[in-house]
Amino acid sequence: MPFDARNDLPETPALVLDESVVQANIDRLQAHCDARGVRLRPHIKTHKIPRFALAQVAAGAAGITCQKIGEAEVMADAGLDDILITYNIVGAEKCARLRRLSDRLRHLAVTVDSAATVDGLSAAFETAERPLVVLVECDTGAGRCGVQSPEEAAALAARIEAAPGLSYGGLMTFPAVGDLDGVARFMRRALELVAERGLSCREVSSGGTPDMWKSGEDDFVTEYRAGTYIFNDRSLVNRGTVPLEACAARVHATVVSAPTPTRLVVDAGSKVLTTDLFGQTGHGTVIGHPEADVVGLSEEHGVIHLPKDHGLAVGDRVEIVPNHICVVVNMFDEIFLRRTDGTLETVPVAARGKVT
Amino acid sequence: MPFDARNDLPETPALVLDESVVQANIDRLQAHCDARGVRLRPHIKTHKIPRFALAQVAAGAAGITCQKIGEAEVMADAGLDDILITYNIVGAEKCARLRRLSDRLRHLAVTVDSAATVDGLSAAFETAERPLVVLVECDTGAGRCGVQSPEEAAALAARIEAAPGLSYGGLMTFPAVGDLDGVARFMRRALELVAERGLSCREVSSGGTPDMWKSGEDDFVTEYRAGTYIFNDRSLVNRGTVPLEACAARVHATVVSAPTPTRLVVDAGSKVLTTDLFGQTGHGTVIGHPEADVVGLSEEHGVIHLPKDHGLAVGDRVEIVPNHICVVVNMFDEIFLRRTDGTLETVPVAARGKVT
């Protein structure tokens, strides 16, 4: 539903995205990856919206990354046919869902870090016409999932290749930000050990938006996963990864209270901005008011401290760049896209809330 | 959709509520308020589910409290007809929506803390058949919205009473936890000043679950708003307000990775548990594993540290009591209600995501 941007601004709180900034962000990282010879496989957890996934593929992405089967199902419905789910899919019910999804897609891959997960996937896929592609997740320092050593990685690769219904697809890591040397040491050794077992890695998948401009520096990485880059956020500005102008998404809010000369309250609280500090101080950057400090959020109120004579009054609108855009998009049933002609279009967040 | 609790546990992550604990929580606070002679007006921001609002009214609640017009619209659809929206409704579009809502209800009231908000409401309601009831919000120390002094409260009360289409309804405060003396000083003085202007306060509304057992101690409070009490959460256990057994809501999650002997990863991250620490350390209490520490959340992963030999393996389910239940319910499209016969029923979170 298009409507005039100036006369029909959406009721607040609302998430408004600038389409030209979105497209520039897509094009910039794609050009970088093309120049470095690494495939880009964007993570849709950030936007959860099929049209953006399609735009990423149209720009040259090799496929997409999802974290949940439910997200992948939404994207498959929209015609995306090459999906990597970077998650341990555990349990008979989920594995059966994964197989149904696989039957609809040109290419589906998942990651694992344990024998138990491999065995569960194999049980679901042993009668499948096409094997499921399975990559080994390596914990190269992030301290989340992943095998703990190159030796474990090679052993798990062999177990995958031997498992009925599965095909070993390579290695994957979600690197700790800033430690690319440590990541490279782990992954190079794992590649050696996998090769010693006579297996080849079709993909070596790395990722993360903060280090995206370094993607392709390591010649062993074949594909790069980034999510946040499509919109960017305050955390990336504060890290120095992107300028504020590259932030495509702003939460529009209305000043609903000005209780003191230095305190404003807006109608965007933790049920919109979330409490995700993501390493920041404060809950967002208020555009045009660098002196403003979003000091606190309750569920439906955002409290902003400002020096006196800030010029804002009850009824005024403010625009806030959030700390962590991936979790903020997930709070909205729909977002508003400001198109290049200035009109706003309502776009459903189709994969929002797909928690399973 | 009822299904057998033992054989058909929902896919994880899932929020499972125990109906008998919910009903006991409803009954306990209602009995307390009845005994103290204060009306209970539960805040539905915690559950966002009409059946629970109806259960609260059936138990004796005077009506309900909402924070957003969108929440109130959902509740009105379900037959709730006495609603207080404890929020400054700002802007012509929202005020028009409020008037349409008012026409459907037996009783609607809102709160204000500024002349600008009063004037906006009056413009929308001046031609209404019934006046809108408006209470003055008082900031008694919480530092959010609210007039800053009893003098301001009385002046705003007079402005409301003089405004076409509006009727002065009383005073409201969201007290800072634990400072009931300061709250009482502010509110008693405001009541005196309002009375000096020849106005009477039909309601003096206070609230907050942490201090709920003290509601009714002050004889000037006529109604009490509490939200979290219906489910309770880890923050209330850690404050000593309720025992763990009174927590009706648990996030069920599955262990998807056990990378080291002391680290588990479950499939509930910040898109389920949220990053709301709410004054706590850690992101939840793992039932049956008091030694477990939910040390970190990424979007779809929860990282738990445990001493060795914890007995949990990939595929096992855990139940987590979240820090702040109000924001967790809001992450789910549906919850699972464990009924007294042990079966589980799927219940939509009808007012989830109603941000405007």
Side-chain angles (χ1 to χ4, degrees):
Chain A
M1 184 197 344
F3 51 106
D4 182 75
R6 270 165 305 189
N7 295 324
D8 267 331
L9 282 166
E11 280 190 74
T12 61
L15 185 62
V16 181
L17 294 168
D18 188 310
E19 188 173 33
S20 63
V21 180
V22 170
Q23 192 61 50
N25 290 340
I26 290 174
D27 292 341
R28 197 177 302 121
L29 186 59
Q30 187 66 53
H32 168 86
C33 289
D34 289 348
R36 295 292 185 99
V38 62
R39 283 188 287 281
L40 178 61
R41 181 179 287 279
H43 206 312
I44 63 82
K45 73 186 174 85
T46 303
H47 56 71
K48 291 178 174 270
I49 293 174
R51 72 188 282 158
F52 291 131
L54 292 167
Q56 290 169 315
V57 169
I64 60 169
T65 308
C66 297
Q67 207 74 316
K68 293 282 172 167
I69 300 175
E71 292 174 340
E73 288 165 342
V74 169
M75 295 296 153
D77 290 345
L80 280 303
D81 64 357
D82 185 336
I83 300 179
L84 168 66
I85 301 179
T86 46
Y87 212 83
N88 287 296
I89 306 297
V90 171
E93 198 172 348
K94 283 216 175 76
C95 288
R97 247 174 105 195
L98 191 71
R99 174 149 172 202
R100 291 193 293 276
L101 176 66
S102 175
D103 291 342
R104 302 167 58 192
L105 296 177
R106 184 168 57 84
H107 178 76
L108 176 66
V110 301
T111 62
V112 300
D113 71 356
S114 71
T117 309
V118 171
D119 295 351
L121 292 169
S122 179
F125 278 81
E126 60 184 348
T127 61
E129 283 189 25
R130 285 179 306 153
L132 177 69
V133 176
V134 180
L135 285 72
V136 174
E137 178 165 0
C138 300
D139 178 7
T140 54
R144 198 170 71 181
C145 294
V147 296
Q148 298 296 297
S149 68
E151 290 72 20
E152 275 182 76
L156 201 55
R159 190 180 186 109
I160 294 165
E161 189 63 22
L166 307 185
S167 168
Y168 170 66
L171 302 177
M172 169 268 185
T173 191
F174 177 61
V177 175
D179 182 24
L180 296 183
D181 287 347
V183 173
R185 270 194 304 278
F186 188 116
M187 299 299 275
R188 287 184 197 279
R189 179 68 182 142
L191 284 166
E192 288 172 5
L193 295 173
V194 167
E196 284 177 14
R197 290 176 181 254
L199 297 171
S200 67
C201 287
R202 275 175 277 170
E203 298 284 1
V204 179
S205 179
S206 188
T209 293
D211 280 333
M212 62 184 168
W213 303 124
K214 296 178 179 165
S215 61
E217 284 185 5
D218 286 316
D219 56 7
F220 59 84
V221 172
T222 64
E223 76 169 19
Y224 200 77
R225 309 177 320 277
T228 315
Y229 83 99
I230 187 170
F231 299 154
N232 295 313
D233 58 24
R234 184 171 181 246
S235 76
L236 291 162
V237 174
N238 286 347
R239 281 179 191 277
T241 307
V242 297
L244 189 60
E245 298 69 40
C247 293
R250 297 174 180 188
V251 170
H252 287 224
T254 298
V255 177
V256 295
S257 178
T260 78
T262 60
R263 187 204 311 160
L264 295 177
V265 183
V266 297
D267 60 358
S270 70
K271 281 179 175 168
V272 164
L273 290 168
T274 84
T275 48
D276 212 339
L277 287 169
F278 220 47
Q280 321 301 296
T281 302
H283 295 281
T285 294
V286 184
I287 297 291
H289 294 274
E291 73 287 9
D293 191 3
V294 187
V295 295
L297 301 176
S298 45
E299 286 163 59
E300 308 290 4
H301 299 82
V303 178
I304 302 178
H305 287 179
L306 280 158
K308 283 182 191 178
D309 303 322
H310 44 69
L312 289 166
V314 170
D316 287 345
R317 292 171 74 104
V318 295
E319 299 181 17
I320 301 172
V321 176
N323 285 337
H324 184 192
I325 190 60
C326 309
V327 292
V328 173
V329 174
N330 187 50
M331 305 307 283
F332 287 94
D333 288 339
E334 58 191 24
I335 59 93
F336 297 89
L337 188 64
R338 189 185 302 280
R339 298 188 298 198
T340 47
D341 65 2
T343 57
L344 284 181
E345 180 181 352
T346 308
V347 183
V349 186
R352 191 215 63 72
K354 301 300 181 192
V355 295
T356 65
Chain B
M1 180 197 348
F3 52 106
D4 181 74
R6 269 165 305 189
N7 295 325
D8 269 331
L9 282 166
E11 279 190 74
T12 61
L15 185 63
V16 181
L17 294 167
D18 188 310
E19 189 172 34
S20 64
V21 179
V22 170
Q23 192 61 49
N25 290 341
I26 291 173
D27 292 342
R28 196 178 304 122
L29 186 60
Q30 187 65 53
H32 168 86
C33 289
D34 289 347
R36 295 292 185 98
V38 62
R39 282 188 287 282
L40 178 60
R41 181 179 287 277
H43 206 312
I44 63 81
K45 73 185 172 87
T46 303
H47 55 70
K48 291 178 174 272
I49 293 174
R51 71 188 283 160
F52 291 131
L54 292 166
Q56 289 169 316
V57 169
I64 61 169
T65 307
C66 297
Q67 207 74 317
K68 293 283 171 168
I69 300 174
E71 293 174 341
E73 288 165 342
V74 169
M75 294 296 153
D77 290 345
L80 280 302
D81 64 357
D82 186 336
I83 299 179
L84 168 66
I85 301 180
T86 46
Y87 211 82
N88 286 298
I89 306 297
V90 172
E93 198 173 349
K94 282 217 175 75
C95 288
R97 247 174 105 195
L98 191 71
R99 175 149 170 202
R100 290 193 294 275
L101 177 65
S102 176
D103 291 342
R104 301 167 59 192
L105 295 177
R106 184 168 57 84
H107 178 79
L108 176 66
V110 300
T111 62
V112 299
D113 70 357
S114 73
T117 310
V118 171
D119 295 350
L121 292 169
S122 179
F125 279 83
E126 60 185 348
T127 62
E129 283 189 23
R130 284 178 306 152
L132 177 69
V133 177
V134 181
L135 285 72
V136 174
E137 178 165 1
C138 300
D139 177 8
T140 54
R144 199 169 69 180
C145 293
V147 297
Q148 297 297 298
S149 70
E151 290 72 20
E152 276 183 74
L156 201 57
R159 189 180 187 108
I160 293 165
E161 189 63 21
L166 307 185
S167 169
Y168 171 66
L171 303 176
M172 169 268 186
T173 192
F174 176 61
V177 174
D179 182 26
L180 295 182
D181 287 347
V183 174
R185 271 194 304 278
F186 188 118
M187 298 300 275
R188 287 185 197 280
R189 180 67 183 144
L191 283 166
E192 288 173 5
L193 294 172
V194 168
E196 283 176 14
R197 290 175 181 255
L199 297 171
S200 67
C201 287
R202 276 175 276 171
E203 297 286 0
V204 179
S205 179
S206 188
T209 293
D211 281 333
M212 63 185 170
W213 301 124
K214 294 177 178 165
S215 62
E217 283 184 6
D218 285 316
D219 57 7
F220 58 85
V221 173
T222 65
E223 77 169 18
Y224 200 78
R225 309 177 319 279
T228 316
Y229 83 99
I230 187 171
F231 298 154
N232 295 312
D233 58 23
R234 183 171 181 244
S235 77
L236 291 162
V237 173
N238 285 349
R239 281 179 190 280
T241 307
V242 298
L244 188 62
E245 298 69 42
C247 293
R250 297 175 181 187
V251 170
H252 287 223
T254 298
V255 177
V256 295
S257 177
T260 79
T262 61
R263 187 204 311 161
L264 294 177
V265 183
V266 297
D267 60 359
S270 70
K271 281 179 176 168
V272 164
L273 289 168
T274 85
T275 47
D276 213 338
L277 287 168
F278 221 46
Q280 321 301 298
T281 301
H283 296 281
T285 294
V286 183
I287 297 291
H289 294 275
E291 74 288 8
D293 191 3
V294 187
V295 294
L297 301 176
S298 45
E299 288 163 58
E300 308 290 3
H301 299 82
V303 178
I304 303 178
H305 288 179
L306 279 159
K308 282 182 190 179
D309 302 321
H310 44 67
L312 289 166
V314 170
D316 286 347
R317 292 172 73 104
V318 295
E319 299 182 17
I320 301 172
V321 176
N323 284 338
H324 184 192
I325 190 60
C326 308
V327 292
V328 173
V329 174
N330 187 50
M331 306 307 283
F332 287 94
D333 288 337
E334 58 189 24
I335 59 95
F336 297 89
L337 189 63
R338 190 186 301 281
R339 298 188 299 199
T340 46
D341 66 2
T343 58
L344 283 181
E345 181 181 352
T346 308
V347 182
V349 185
R352 192 215 62 74
K354 300 300 180 193
V355 294
T356 65

